[in-house]
mmCIF file of all heavy atoms in Angstrom:
data_model
loop_
_atom_site.group_PDB
_atom_site.id
_atom_site.type_symbol
_atom_site.label_atom_id
_atom_site.label_comp_id
_atom_site.label_asym_id
_atom_site.label_seq_id
_atom_site.Cartn_x
_atom_site.Cartn_y
_atom_site.Cartn_z
ATOM 1 N N ARG A 1 13.562 -12.823 -14.750
ATOM 2 C CA ARG A 1 13.091 -14.108 -14.219
ATOM 3 C C ARG A 1 13.121 -14.133 -12.694
ATOM 4 O O ARG A 1 12.225 -14.688 -12.052
ATOM 5 C CB ARG A 1 13.919 -15.243 -14.798
ATOM 6 C CG ARG A 1 13.646 -15.457 -16.288
ATOM 7 C CD ARG A 1 14.498 -16.552 -16.886
ATOM 8 N NE ARG A 1 14.156 -16.776 -18.288
ATOM 9 C CZ ARG A 1 14.799 -17.613 -19.090
ATOM 10 N NH1 ARG A 1 15.826 -18.321 -18.613
ATOM 11 N NH2 ARG A 1 14.423 -17.755 -20.346
ATOM 12 N N LEU A 2 14.142 -13.534 -12.093
ATOM 13 C CA LEU A 2 14.212 -13.491 -10.638
ATOM 14 C C LEU A 2 13.130 -12.582 -10.068
ATOM 15 O O LEU A 2 12.531 -12.882 -9.029
ATOM 16 C CB LEU A 2 15.603 -13.022 -10.196
ATOM 17 C CG LEU A 2 16.741 -14.021 -10.433
ATOM 18 C CD1 LEU A 2 18.097 -13.364 -10.190
ATOM 19 C CD2 LEU A 2 16.589 -15.257 -9.564
ATOM 20 N N SER A 3 12.866 -11.483 -10.748
ATOM 21 C CA SER A 3 11.794 -10.580 -10.311
ATOM 22 C C SER A 3 10.439 -11.276 -10.406
ATOM 23 O O SER A 3 9.556 -11.075 -9.563
ATOM 24 C CB SER A 3 11.787 -9.301 -11.163
ATOM 25 O OG SER A 3 12.973 -8.569 -10.964
ATOM 26 N N GLU A 4 10.273 -12.112 -11.418
ATOM 27 C CA GLU A 4 9.050 -12.899 -11.557
ATOM 28 C C GLU A 4 8.913 -13.886 -10.388
ATOM 29 O O GLU A 4 7.809 -14.119 -9.887
ATOM 30 C CB GLU A 4 9.080 -13.651 -12.889
ATOM 31 C CG GLU A 4 7.778 -14.356 -13.237
ATOM 32 C CD GLU A 4 7.837 -14.986 -14.614
ATOM 33 O OE1 GLU A 4 8.420 -14.372 -15.518
ATOM 34 O OE2 GLU A 4 7.302 -16.107 -14.762
ATOM 35 N N SER A 5 10.033 -14.449 -9.949
ATOM 36 C CA SER A 5 10.009 -15.342 -8.787
ATOM 37 C C SER A 5 9.570 -14.599 -7.531
ATOM 38 O O SER A 5 8.839 -15.135 -6.698
ATOM 39 C CB SER A 5 11.393 -15.960 -8.560
ATOM 40 O OG SER A 5 11.774 -16.765 -9.641
ATOM 41 N N VAL A 6 10.021 -13.355 -7.393
ATOM 42 C CA VAL A 6 9.617 -12.539 -6.249
ATOM 43 C C VAL A 6 8.114 -12.295 -6.292
ATOM 44 O O VAL A 6 7.411 -12.480 -5.288
ATOM 45 C CB VAL A 6 10.383 -11.192 -6.234
ATOM 46 C CG1 VAL A 6 9.839 -10.283 -5.129
ATOM 47 C CG2 VAL A 6 11.873 -11.428 -6.025
ATOM 48 N N ARG A 7 7.608 -11.902 -7.458
ATOM 49 C CA ARG A 7 6.174 -11.620 -7.590
ATOM 50 C C ARG A 7 5.340 -12.880 -7.380
ATOM 51 O O ARG A 7 4.257 -12.828 -6.802
ATOM 52 C CB ARG A 7 5.880 -11.017 -8.969
ATOM 53 C CG ARG A 7 6.395 -9.598 -9.151
ATOM 54 C CD ARG A 7 5.847 -8.970 -10.420
ATOM 55 N NE ARG A 7 6.285 -9.677 -11.617
ATOM 56 C CZ ARG A 7 7.410 -9.404 -12.286
ATOM 57 N NH1 ARG A 7 8.203 -8.439 -11.859
ATOM 58 N NH2 ARG A 7 7.739 -10.073 -13.357
ATOM 59 N N GLY A 8 5.853 -14.016 -7.855
ATOM 60 C CA GLY A 8 5.124 -15.271 -7.722
ATOM 61 C C GLY A 8 5.310 -15.943 -6.378
ATOM 62 O O GLY A 8 4.762 -17.011 -6.125
ATOM 63 N N ARG A 9 6.112 -15.306 -5.510
ATOM 64 C CA ARG A 9 6.362 -15.791 -4.150
ATOM 65 C C ARG A 9 7.007 -17.177 -4.120
ATOM 66 O O ARG A 9 6.766 -17.971 -3.217
ATOM 67 C CB ARG A 9 5.090 -15.744 -3.303
ATOM 68 C CG ARG A 9 4.556 -14.309 -3.142
ATOM 69 C CD ARG A 9 3.404 -14.186 -2.197
ATOM 70 N NE ARG A 9 2.988 -12.777 -2.098
ATOM 71 C CZ ARG A 9 1.960 -12.337 -1.374
ATOM 72 N NH1 ARG A 9 1.248 -13.205 -0.670
ATOM 73 N NH2 ARG A 9 1.648 -11.052 -1.347
ATOM 74 N N SER A 10 7.837 -17.442 -5.151
ATOM 75 C CA SER A 10 8.682 -18.637 -5.108
ATOM 76 C C SER A 10 10.092 -18.252 -4.681
ATOM 77 O O SER A 10 11.039 -19.028 -4.821
ATOM 78 C CB SER A 10 8.718 -19.330 -6.478
ATOM 79 O OG SER A 10 9.200 -18.465 -7.479
ATOM 80 N N PHE A 11 10.195 -17.055 -4.157
ATOM 81 C CA PHE A 11 11.451 -16.476 -3.685
ATOM 82 C C PHE A 11 11.422 -16.557 -2.166
ATOM 83 O O PHE A 11 10.729 -15.800 -1.502
ATOM 84 C CB PHE A 11 11.504 -15.014 -4.174
ATOM 85 C CG PHE A 11 12.834 -14.329 -4.018
ATOM 86 C CD1 PHE A 11 13.733 -14.292 -5.058
ATOM 87 C CD2 PHE A 11 13.168 -13.694 -2.830
ATOM 88 C CE1 PHE A 11 14.949 -13.640 -4.937
ATOM 89 C CE2 PHE A 11 14.384 -13.044 -2.696
ATOM 90 C CZ PHE A 11 15.272 -13.009 -3.745
ATOM 91 N N GLY A 12 12.145 -17.519 -1.588
ATOM 92 C CA GLY A 12 12.073 -17.750 -0.146
ATOM 93 C C GLY A 12 13.090 -16.929 0.620
ATOM 94 O O GLY A 12 14.262 -16.848 0.228
ATOM 95 N N LYS A 13 12.658 -16.325 1.731
ATOM 96 C CA LYS A 13 13.558 -15.511 2.541
ATOM 97 C C LYS A 13 13.372 -15.853 4.019
ATOM 98 O O LYS A 13 12.245 -15.867 4.510
ATOM 99 C CB LYS A 13 13.290 -14.023 2.320
ATOM 100 C CG LYS A 13 13.676 -13.532 0.930
ATOM 101 C CD LYS A 13 13.426 -12.053 0.761
ATOM 102 C CE LYS A 13 11.951 -11.741 0.572
ATOM 103 N NZ LYS A 13 11.687 -10.324 0.294
ATOM 104 N N THR A 14 14.473 -16.154 4.691
ATOM 105 C CA THR A 14 14.414 -16.380 6.130
ATOM 106 C C THR A 14 15.374 -15.427 6.832
ATOM 107 O O THR A 14 16.395 -15.013 6.260
ATOM 108 C CB THR A 14 14.761 -17.826 6.521
ATOM 109 O OG1 THR A 14 16.141 -18.075 6.253
ATOM 110 C CG2 THR A 14 13.897 -18.821 5.767
ATOM 111 N N TYR A 15 15.037 -15.111 8.056
ATOM 112 C CA TYR A 15 15.821 -14.167 8.854
ATOM 113 C C TYR A 15 15.930 -14.683 10.281
ATOM 114 O O TYR A 15 15.147 -15.538 10.714
ATOM 115 C CB TYR A 15 15.128 -12.795 8.918
ATOM 116 C CG TYR A 15 14.993 -12.067 7.611
ATOM 117 C CD1 TYR A 15 14.026 -12.433 6.667
ATOM 118 C CD2 TYR A 15 15.817 -10.985 7.306
ATOM 119 C CE1 TYR A 15 13.895 -11.755 5.469
ATOM 120 C CE2 TYR A 15 15.685 -10.294 6.114
ATOM 121 C CZ TYR A 15 14.731 -10.681 5.204
ATOM 122 O OH TYR A 15 14.605 -10.008 4.015
ATOM 123 N N ILE A 16 16.904 -14.145 11.005
ATOM 124 C CA ILE A 16 16.880 -14.253 12.453
ATOM 125 C C ILE A 16 16.891 -12.837 13.010
ATOM 126 O O ILE A 16 17.396 -11.898 12.368
ATOM 127 C CB ILE A 16 18.059 -15.066 13.028
ATOM 128 C CG1 ILE A 16 19.413 -14.489 12.603
ATOM 129 C CG2 ILE A 16 17.947 -16.531 12.646
ATOM 130 C CD1 ILE A 16 20.611 -15.173 13.267
ATOM 131 N N CYS A 17 16.304 -12.689 14.184
ATOM 132 C CA CYS A 17 16.312 -11.383 14.836
ATOM 133 C C CYS A 17 16.357 -11.582 16.340
ATOM 134 O O CYS A 17 16.029 -12.656 16.849
ATOM 135 C CB CYS A 17 15.096 -10.542 14.439
ATOM 136 S SG CYS A 17 13.492 -11.260 14.849
ATOM 137 N N VAL A 18 16.786 -10.568 17.041
ATOM 138 C CA VAL A 18 16.748 -10.554 18.492
ATOM 139 C C VAL A 18 15.721 -9.507 18.895
ATOM 140 O O VAL A 18 15.797 -8.350 18.455
ATOM 141 C CB VAL A 18 18.123 -10.214 19.109
ATOM 142 C CG1 VAL A 18 18.021 -10.130 20.631
ATOM 143 C CG2 VAL A 18 19.161 -11.257 18.708
ATOM 144 N N VAL A 19 14.738 -9.923 19.686
ATOM 145 C CA VAL A 19 13.681 -9.002 20.096
ATOM 146 C C VAL A 19 13.727 -8.791 21.604
ATOM 147 O O VAL A 19 14.282 -9.592 22.354
ATOM 148 C CB VAL A 19 12.277 -9.526 19.702
ATOM 149 C CG1 VAL A 19 12.201 -9.769 18.194
ATOM 150 C CG2 VAL A 19 11.923 -10.798 20.476
ATOM 151 N N GLU A 20 13.131 -7.687 22.026
ATOM 152 C CA GLU A 20 12.992 -7.430 23.452
ATOM 153 C C GLU A 20 11.845 -8.274 24.003
ATOM 154 O O GLU A 20 10.782 -8.365 23.382
ATOM 155 C CB GLU A 20 12.717 -5.945 23.694
ATOM 156 C CG GLU A 20 13.891 -5.054 23.302
ATOM 157 C CD GLU A 20 13.622 -3.582 23.604
ATOM 158 O OE1 GLU A 20 12.467 -3.241 23.935
ATOM 159 O OE2 GLU A 20 14.577 -2.784 23.515
ATOM 160 N N GLY A 21 12.072 -8.894 25.169
ATOM 161 C CA GLY A 21 11.026 -9.692 25.786
ATOM 162 C C GLY A 21 10.852 -11.056 25.144
ATOM 163 O O GLY A 21 11.720 -11.536 24.400
ATOM 164 N N VAL A 22 9.696 -11.669 25.402
ATOM 165 C CA VAL A 22 9.364 -12.990 24.872
ATOM 166 C C VAL A 22 7.963 -12.931 24.261
ATOM 167 O O VAL A 22 7.019 -12.531 24.943
ATOM 168 C CB VAL A 22 9.384 -14.064 25.981
ATOM 169 C CG1 VAL A 22 9.159 -15.448 25.395
ATOM 170 C CG2 VAL A 22 10.689 -14.020 26.773
ATOM 171 N N PRO A 23 7.796 -13.298 22.997
ATOM 172 C CA PRO A 23 6.460 -13.310 22.405
ATOM 173 C C PRO A 23 5.507 -14.207 23.184
ATOM 174 O O PRO A 23 5.934 -15.209 23.787
ATOM 175 C CB PRO A 23 6.701 -13.848 20.994
ATOM 176 C CG PRO A 23 8.133 -13.531 20.702
ATOM 177 C CD PRO A 23 8.838 -13.669 22.020
ATOM 178 N N ALA A 24 4.223 -13.866 23.159
ATOM 179 C CA ALA A 24 3.220 -14.625 23.906
ATOM 180 C C ALA A 24 3.126 -16.068 23.424
ATOM 181 O O ALA A 24 2.849 -16.978 24.208
ATOM 182 C CB ALA A 24 1.860 -13.939 23.803
ATOM 183 N N ARG A 25 3.367 -16.289 22.130
ATOM 184 C CA ARG A 25 3.303 -17.631 21.572
ATOM 185 C C ARG A 25 4.680 -18.044 21.075
ATOM 186 O O ARG A 25 5.416 -17.242 20.496
ATOM 187 C CB ARG A 25 2.285 -17.683 20.432
ATOM 188 C CG ARG A 25 0.863 -17.361 20.883
ATOM 189 C CD ARG A 25 -0.083 -17.218 19.710
ATOM 190 N NE ARG A 25 -0.199 -18.460 18.941
ATOM 191 C CZ ARG A 25 -0.887 -18.563 17.805
ATOM 192 N NH1 ARG A 25 -1.497 -17.490 17.302
ATOM 193 N NH2 ARG A 25 -0.967 -19.726 17.178
ATOM 194 N N GLN A 26 5.034 -19.308 21.299
ATOM 195 C CA GLN A 26 6.340 -19.825 20.905
ATOM 196 C C GLN A 26 6.503 -19.802 19.389
ATOM 197 O O GLN A 26 7.603 -19.526 18.885
ATOM 198 C CB GLN A 26 6.496 -21.258 21.424
ATOM 199 C CG GLN A 26 7.858 -21.882 21.196
ATOM 200 C CD GLN A 26 8.905 -21.410 22.203
ATOM 201 O OE1 GLN A 26 8.588 -20.648 23.109
ATOM 202 N NE2 GLN A 26 10.132 -21.860 22.039
ATOM 203 N N GLU A 27 5.450 -20.086 18.679
ATOM 204 C CA GLU A 27 5.471 -20.067 17.209
ATOM 205 C C GLU A 27 4.121 -19.589 16.721
ATOM 206 O O GLU A 27 3.084 -19.993 17.260
ATOM 207 C CB GLU A 27 5.794 -21.449 16.644
ATOM 208 C CG GLU A 27 5.928 -21.484 15.123
ATOM 209 C CD GLU A 27 6.503 -22.796 14.599
ATOM 210 O OE1 GLU A 27 6.965 -23.621 15.413
ATOM 211 O OE2 GLU A 27 6.502 -22.984 13.369
ATOM 212 N N ALA A 28 4.123 -18.725 15.712
ATOM 213 C CA ALA A 28 2.850 -18.184 15.214
ATOM 214 C C ALA A 28 3.052 -17.577 13.834
ATOM 215 O O ALA A 28 4.171 -17.239 13.441
ATOM 216 C CB ALA A 28 2.300 -17.131 16.178
ATOM 217 N N THR A 29 1.948 -17.456 13.116
ATOM 218 C CA THR A 29 1.932 -16.710 11.861
ATOM 219 C C THR A 29 1.220 -15.383 12.115
ATOM 220 O O THR A 29 0.093 -15.370 12.616
ATOM 221 C CB THR A 29 1.216 -17.500 10.754
ATOM 222 O OG1 THR A 29 1.965 -18.692 10.469
ATOM 223 C CG2 THR A 29 1.108 -16.679 9.478
ATOM 224 N N LEU A 30 1.911 -14.288 11.807
ATOM 225 C CA LEU A 30 1.350 -12.960 12.005
ATOM 226 C C LEU A 30 0.786 -12.459 10.677
ATOM 227 O O LEU A 30 1.472 -12.475 9.652
ATOM 228 C CB LEU A 30 2.418 -11.985 12.500
ATOM 229 C CG LEU A 30 3.155 -12.359 13.800
ATOM 230 C CD1 LEU A 30 4.153 -11.269 14.161
ATOM 231 C CD2 LEU A 30 2.159 -12.585 14.935
ATOM 232 N N GLU A 31 -0.469 -12.029 10.716
ATOM 233 C CA GLU A 31 -1.126 -11.476 9.528
ATOM 234 C C GLU A 31 -1.654 -10.104 9.865
ATOM 235 O O GLU A 31 -2.540 -9.954 10.719
ATOM 236 C CB GLU A 31 -2.244 -12.399 9.064
ATOM 237 C CG GLU A 31 -1.738 -13.781 8.661
ATOM 238 C CD GLU A 31 -2.833 -14.681 8.097
ATOM 239 O OE1 GLU A 31 -3.232 -14.453 6.935
ATOM 240 O OE2 GLU A 31 -3.281 -15.571 8.829
ATOM 241 N N HIS A 32 -1.095 -9.087 9.222
ATOM 242 C CA HIS A 32 -1.486 -7.705 9.465
ATOM 243 C C HIS A 32 -1.600 -6.969 8.129
ATOM 244 O O HIS A 32 -1.435 -7.558 7.062
ATOM 245 C CB HIS A 32 -0.449 -6.989 10.348
ATOM 246 C CG HIS A 32 -0.292 -7.569 11.713
ATOM 247 N ND1 HIS A 32 0.836 -8.266 12.107
ATOM 248 C CD2 HIS A 32 -1.121 -7.561 12.782
ATOM 249 C CE1 HIS A 32 0.700 -8.649 13.367
ATOM 250 N NE2 HIS A 32 -0.477 -8.246 13.794
ATOM 251 N N TYR A 33 -1.825 -5.680 8.242
ATOM 252 C CA TYR A 33 -1.846 -4.792 7.074
ATOM 253 C C TYR A 33 -0.911 -3.627 7.373
ATOM 254 O O TYR A 33 -0.926 -3.078 8.479
ATOM 255 C CB TYR A 33 -3.270 -4.306 6.793
ATOM 256 C CG TYR A 33 -4.192 -5.445 6.422
ATOM 257 C CD1 TYR A 33 -4.832 -6.185 7.423
ATOM 258 C CD2 TYR A 33 -4.371 -5.830 5.098
ATOM 259 C CE1 TYR A 33 -5.648 -7.264 7.106
ATOM 260 C CE2 TYR A 33 -5.187 -6.908 4.774
ATOM 261 C CZ TYR A 33 -5.815 -7.611 5.778
ATOM 262 O OH TYR A 33 -6.611 -8.687 5.458
ATOM 263 N N ILE A 34 -0.076 -3.293 6.380
ATOM 264 C CA ILE A 34 0.977 -2.301 6.588
ATOM 265 C C ILE A 34 0.820 -1.147 5.598
ATOM 266 O O ILE A 34 0.610 -1.369 4.402
ATOM 267 C CB ILE A 34 2.365 -2.954 6.426
ATOM 268 C CG1 ILE A 34 2.720 -3.764 7.680
ATOM 269 C CG2 ILE A 34 3.442 -1.909 6.163
ATOM 270 C CD1 ILE A 34 4.060 -4.453 7.603
ATOM 271 N N ARG A 35 0.935 0.072 6.140
ATOM 272 C CA ARG A 35 0.920 1.265 5.280
ATOM 273 C C ARG A 35 2.169 2.077 5.563
ATOM 274 O O ARG A 35 2.496 2.348 6.720
ATOM 275 C CB ARG A 35 -0.323 2.118 5.544
ATOM 276 C CG ARG A 35 -0.388 3.383 4.663
ATOM 277 C CD ARG A 35 -1.720 4.079 4.777
ATOM 278 N NE ARG A 35 -1.973 4.542 6.120
ATOM 279 C CZ ARG A 35 -3.190 4.792 6.605
ATOM 280 N NH1 ARG A 35 -4.262 4.564 5.852
ATOM 281 N NH2 ARG A 35 -3.344 5.234 7.836
ATOM 282 N N LYS A 36 2.893 2.459 4.520
ATOM 283 C CA LYS A 36 4.135 3.205 4.692
ATOM 284 C C LYS A 36 3.933 4.691 4.509
ATOM 285 O O LYS A 36 3.265 5.137 3.575
ATOM 286 C CB LYS A 36 5.200 2.711 3.703
ATOM 287 C CG LYS A 36 6.558 3.384 3.905
ATOM 288 C CD LYS A 36 7.640 2.782 3.043
ATOM 289 C CE LYS A 36 8.991 3.426 3.351
ATOM 290 N NZ LYS A 36 10.080 2.866 2.533
ATOM 291 N N ASP A 37 4.513 5.463 5.411
ATOM 292 C CA ASP A 37 4.581 6.913 5.295
ATOM 293 C C ASP A 37 5.919 7.228 4.629
ATOM 294 O O ASP A 37 6.972 7.137 5.259
ATOM 295 C CB ASP A 37 4.490 7.552 6.685
ATOM 296 C CG ASP A 37 4.465 9.073 6.628
ATOM 297 O OD1 ASP A 37 5.087 9.655 5.708
ATOM 298 O OD2 ASP A 37 3.839 9.694 7.514
ATOM 299 N N GLN A 38 5.881 7.572 3.351
ATOM 300 C CA GLN A 38 7.107 7.788 2.592
ATOM 301 C C GLN A 38 7.938 8.941 3.143
ATOM 302 O O GLN A 38 9.169 8.885 3.161
ATOM 303 C CB GLN A 38 6.771 8.055 1.117
ATOM 304 C CG GLN A 38 6.080 6.904 0.412
ATOM 305 C CD GLN A 38 7.023 5.734 0.142
ATOM 306 O OE1 GLN A 38 8.237 5.818 0.341
ATOM 307 N NE2 GLN A 38 6.470 4.616 -0.306
ATOM 308 N N LYS A 39 7.270 9.996 3.607
ATOM 309 C CA LYS A 39 7.996 11.175 4.082
ATOM 310 C C LYS A 39 8.778 10.870 5.355
ATOM 311 O O LYS A 39 9.904 11.304 5.531
ATOM 312 C CB LYS A 39 7.021 12.328 4.332
ATOM 313 C CG LYS A 39 6.425 12.917 3.057
ATOM 314 C CD LYS A 39 5.536 14.103 3.370
ATOM 315 C CE LYS A 39 4.966 14.708 2.088
ATOM 316 N NZ LYS A 39 4.068 15.871 2.372
ATOM 317 N N ARG A 40 8.178 10.110 6.265
ATOM 318 C CA ARG A 40 8.831 9.807 7.545
ATOM 319 C C ARG A 40 9.596 8.482 7.511
ATOM 320 O O ARG A 40 10.295 8.162 8.463
ATOM 321 C CB ARG A 40 7.793 9.781 8.668
ATOM 322 C CG ARG A 40 7.116 11.107 8.924
ATOM 323 C CD ARG A 40 6.307 11.076 10.224
ATOM 324 N NE ARG A 40 5.275 10.048 10.219
ATOM 325 C CZ ARG A 40 5.117 9.139 11.169
ATOM 326 N NH1 ARG A 40 5.951 9.098 12.198
ATOM 327 N NH2 ARG A 40 4.141 8.242 11.102
ATOM 328 N N ASN A 41 9.439 7.720 6.416
ATOM 329 C CA ASN A 41 10.085 6.409 6.282
ATOM 330 C C ASN A 41 9.756 5.521 7.482
ATOM 331 O O ASN A 41 10.646 4.928 8.111
ATOM 332 C CB ASN A 41 11.594 6.551 6.121
ATOM 333 C CG ASN A 41 12.244 5.232 5.696
ATOM 334 O OD1 ASN A 41 11.629 4.412 5.012
ATOM 335 N ND2 ASN A 41 13.478 5.019 6.119
ATOM 336 N N VAL A 42 8.482 5.413 7.781
ATOM 337 C CA VAL A 42 8.016 4.566 8.868
ATOM 338 C C VAL A 42 6.706 3.924 8.431
ATOM 339 O O VAL A 42 5.978 4.483 7.615
ATOM 340 C CB VAL A 42 7.827 5.393 10.172
ATOM 341 C CG1 VAL A 42 6.682 6.382 10.021
ATOM 342 C CG2 VAL A 42 7.618 4.493 11.372
ATOM 343 N N VAL A 43 6.419 2.724 8.934
ATOM 344 C CA VAL A 43 5.176 2.062 8.558
ATOM 345 C C VAL A 43 4.268 1.926 9.770
ATOM 346 O O VAL A 43 4.728 1.875 10.912
ATOM 347 C CB VAL A 43 5.414 0.669 7.928
ATOM 348 C CG1 VAL A 43 6.352 0.775 6.741
ATOM 349 C CG2 VAL A 43 5.942 -0.316 8.944
ATOM 350 N N THR A 44 2.967 1.868 9.490
ATOM 351 C CA THR A 44 1.957 1.645 10.514
ATOM 352 C C THR A 44 1.325 0.284 10.274
ATOM 353 O O THR A 44 1.040 -0.081 9.130
ATOM 354 C CB THR A 44 0.874 2.742 10.473
ATOM 355 O OG1 THR A 44 1.506 4.022 10.634
ATOM 356 C CG2 THR A 44 -0.143 2.556 11.586
#
């Protein structure tokens, strides 16, 4: 049932982070496309 919540996106997750610099916009929604390189464990 919890996995179903994850798939249905009723599973809410919030984070805090510290970043270098200051983002250009005070608040924004970022929409991108991500591809993972399994061998190097890094995403593009």
Side-chain angles (χ1 to χ4, degrees):
R1 290 178 177 175
L2 290 170
S3 295
E4 188 175 321
S5 297
V6 174
R7 289 191 297 271
R9 298 187 179 178
S10 59
F11 191 95
K13 291 181 284 185
T14 68
Y15 296 77
I16 57 174
C17 60
V18 177
V19 303
E20 294 182 350
V22 185
R25 298 172 62 185
Q26 185 79 3
E27 184 169 351
T29 295
L30 303 181
E31 298 184 75
H32 298 109
Y33 296 86
I34 283 179
R35 180 171 62 202
K36 184 173 184 180
D37 184 328
Q38 298 288 352
K39 290 183 179 179
R40 296 191 301 128
N41 192 30
V42 67
V43 305
T44 303

